[in-house]
């Protein structure tokens, strides 16, 4: 009963935070839009229903855009469960995508094998770079948040150096690589849409991550360290190694997400800036309360809003950056520990009173039997 009430409270708390974010967006839409009604329709309805009919292509676009943030959401979920505020998923996504792109261009392999090797390489390189802030945290007690944040920009500028000076296709007007080989591209799940089989891989990764976190001793160790690191240390757990493990897993998931995104939705590598999937993954993990099985639902919500904001910018003249405002407000209220603390306190008091009454009845019953 206690867990049920706590879960209901967390659901209610999340709903209120989202409602406040939508309300803030509504106020800004009233200020910015020439036709607020049309803008709201674009934000809330048109992503799935257009002109009174189901917009299948838009739905497939939403699902396709979920794919990378499912991976980064899972990555953040694992790292945050160990109480490690590593922000290196952004750099790992970009690096994983770049390595997969290079393999997809210059390493000819057979169909199927080529995609597998490219994705595996992206995952491995993502895990390797995440070792850096993890080891610095364990050995030198330096903040993994600061180290990983700075590492993102180091990775980005290294990639841009090689992209501009080594791998660029000079015949193009924009800075980009040569096209991927056909054997390196991930096939589309639905023809003539953005949705590739990478989405199915993301769902499989979600199931594996949920099993790992809640059904294995390594996942249990990660969660225990996040709850109480000192207790975990004195109970005999190898805290340092598990902290490194959690961040390496996060890096591998992010790198895999970057590789799948690149080979599933693009023909060449052309990212000239951090793609933003790492930051969005933080919002997704917060919405999901670090529960891997809830990551796809949170990713769908963010992708839905993202698509709605895109449609608002096209049809209603509202800046597409509205999604950043909505995410920021959601993050603010989810991260605020005292948000709805009065309601939480009432739940605790009610549960305590019920527990005391239950014990009194049991005591009276035992006294009567005696």
């Amino acid at each position: 009963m206690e867990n049920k009430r706590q879960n209901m409270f967390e659901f209610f708390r999340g709903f209120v935070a989202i409602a406040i974010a939508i309300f803030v967006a509504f106020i800004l839409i009233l200020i910015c839009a020439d036709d607020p009604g049309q803008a709201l329709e674009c934000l809330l309805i048109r992503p799935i229903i257009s002109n009174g009919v189901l917009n299948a292509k838009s739905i497939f676009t939403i699902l396709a855009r979920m794919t990378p943030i499912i991976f980064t959401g899972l990555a953040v979920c694992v790292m945050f469960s160990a109480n490690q505020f590593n922000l290196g998923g952004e750099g790992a996504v970009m690096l994983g995508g770049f390595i997969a792109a290079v393999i997809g261009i210059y390493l000819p392999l057979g169909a199927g094998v080529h995609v597998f090797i490219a994705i595996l390489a992206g995952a491995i390189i993502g895990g390797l770079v995440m070792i850096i802030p993890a080891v610095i945290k364990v050995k030198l007690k330096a903040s993994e948040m600061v180290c990983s944040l700075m590492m993102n920009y180091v990775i980005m500028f290294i990639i841009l150096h090689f992209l501009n000076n080594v791998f660029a296709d000079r015949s193009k007007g924009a800075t980009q690589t040569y096209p991927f080989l056909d054997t390196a591209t991930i096939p589309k799940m639905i023809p003539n849409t953005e949705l590739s089989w990478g989405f199915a891989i993301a769902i499989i990764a979600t199931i594996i991550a949920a099993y790992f976190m809640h059904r294995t001793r390594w996942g249990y160790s990660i969660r225990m360290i996040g709850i109480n690191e000192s207790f975990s240390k004195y109970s005999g757990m190898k805290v340092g190694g598990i902290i490194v493990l959690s961040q390496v897993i996060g890096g591998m998931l992010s790198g895999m997400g970057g590789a799948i995104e690149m080979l599933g939705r693009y023909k060449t590598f052309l990212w000239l800036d951090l793609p933003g999937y790492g930051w969005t993954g933080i919002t997704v993990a917060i919405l999901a309360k670090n529960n891997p099985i809830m990551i796809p639902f949170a990713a769908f919500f963010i992708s839905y809003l993202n698509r709605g904001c895109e449609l608002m910018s096209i049809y209603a003249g509202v800046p597409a950056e509205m999604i950043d405002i909505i995410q920021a407000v959601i993050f603010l209220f989810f991260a605020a520990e005292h948000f709805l603390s009065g309601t939480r306190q009432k739940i605790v008091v009610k549960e305590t009173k019920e527990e005391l009454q239950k014990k009194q009845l049991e005591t009276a019953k035992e006294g009567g039997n005696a």
Side-chain angles (χ1 to χ4, degrees):
M1 180 65 71
E2 180 179 350
N3 289 334
K4 185 178 179 180
R5 284 179 177 170
Q6 288 296 332
N7 291 335
M8 289 180 63
F9 169 75
E10 291 298 337
F11 177 81
F12 173 74
R13 184 171 180 266
F15 176 80
V16 173
I18 292 170
I20 292 173
I22 298 296
F23 178 75
V24 171
F26 174 71
I27 298 299
L28 294 174
I29 287 170
L30 289 177
I31 297 172
C32 300
D34 296 329
D35 187 349
Q38 184 183 20
L40 285 173
E41 181 192 359
C42 291
L43 176 64
L44 301 176
I45 300 174
R46 193 170 289 188
I48 58 173
I49 298 175
S50 181
N51 298 322
V53 297
L54 199 66
N55 191 341
K57 188 172 183 180
S58 180
I59 293 173
F60 293 141
T61 298
I62 292 170
L63 295 177
R65 295 179 182 180
M66 284 172 56
T67 302
I69 60 176
I70 287 176
F71 281 103
T72 54
L74 290 172
V76 172
C77 179
V78 173
M79 294 186 289
F80 278 16
S81 293
N83 201 28
Q84 302 303 304
F85 296 94
N86 190 315
L87 306 178
E90 185 73 9
V93 165
M94 190 173 187
L95 185 58
F98 182 71
I99 294 300
V102 171
I103 291 175
I105 298 167
Y106 298 103
L107 184 63
L109 293 168
V113 176
H114 201 172
V115 173
F116 176 78
I117 294 297
I119 294 174
L120 180 62
I124 291 173
I125 196 67
L128 288 176
V129 296
M130 208 67 87
I131 289 178
I132 298 172
V135 171
I136 291 175
K137 168 67 179 291
V138 171
K139 296 297 183 181
L140 303 179
K141 303 302 179 184
S143 170
E144 74 281 5
M145 181 172 66
V146 175
C147 293
S148 58
L149 186 62
M150 295 298 101
M151 186 183 71
N152 287 338
Y153 292 97
V154 173
I155 290 172
M156 182 185 73
F157 287 115
I158 289 174
I159 289 173
L160 292 181
H161 166 76
F162 283 102
L163 178 60
N164 285 296
N165 298 291
V166 180
F167 299 112
D169 182 356
R170 302 298 178 187
S171 66
K172 303 296 182 180
T175 303
Q176 60 188 50
T177 63
Y178 291 94
F180 307 144
L181 298 174
D182 291 338
T183 53
T185 58
I186 299 175
K188 299 296 183 183
M189 185 181 292
I190 307 294
N192 301 319
T193 67
E194 297 182 24
L195 185 62
S196 73
W197 283 101
F199 177 77
I201 300 174
I203 299 302
I204 294 171
T206 300
I207 296 171
I208 293 173
Y211 181 85
F212 173 81
M213 291 299 295
H214 295 281
R215 292 290 185 270
T216 68
R217 64 184 183 90
W218 296 283
Y220 172 78
S221 299
I222 288 173
R223 290 187 290 114
M224 282 303 301
I225 288 173
I227 294 171
N228 193 324
E229 184 175 330
S230 298
F231 174 81
S232 301
K233 181 179 179 180
Y234 289 116
S235 65
M237 292 184 185
K238 297 180 180 179
V239 172
I242 295 171
I243 287 175
V244 172
L245 173 66
S246 68
Q247 297 182 60
V248 169
I249 292 173
M252 292 183 70
L253 287 168
S254 296
M256 182 182 296
I260 289 173
E261 173 72 356
M262 183 56 57
L263 300 179
R265 289 185 60 198
Y266 297 89
K267 299 298 181 183
T268 65
F269 184 91
L270 39 70
W271 288 347
L272 301 181
D273 204 349
L274 295 172
Y277 298 132
W279 309 123
T280 306
I282 295 173
T283 306
V284 168
I286 290 172
L287 281 172
K289 302 296 292 183
N290 285 343
N291 183 355
I293 210 68
M294 296 302 295
I295 291 291
F297 300 99
F300 177 81
F301 173 74
I302 293 297
S303 296
Y304 187 98
L305 289 181
N306 200 334
R307 178 62 175 165
C309 290
E310 181 183 359
L311 293 173
M312 278 199 305
S313 68
I314 295 172
Y315 297 105
V318 178
E321 289 76 15
M322 185 67 69
I323 183 64
D324 297 323
I325 297 174
I326 296 173
Q327 287 185 30
V329 175
I330 292 173
F331 184 89
L332 173 66
F333 283 100
F334 265 84
E337 289 294 331
H338 293 287
F339 179 54
L340 296 180
S341 59
T343 304
R344 182 192 287 112
Q345 184 178 7
K346 289 178 181 178
I347 292 174
V348 172
V349 170
K350 185 176 180 180
E351 289 174 351
T352 303
K353 287 181 178 179
E354 289 178 352
E355 187 68 24
L356 289 173
Q357 290 175 356
K358 184 178 179 181
K359 288 183 177 180
Q360 288 174 356
L361 289 173
E362 290 177 353
T363 303
K365 185 177 180 180
E366 290 175 357
N369 292 334

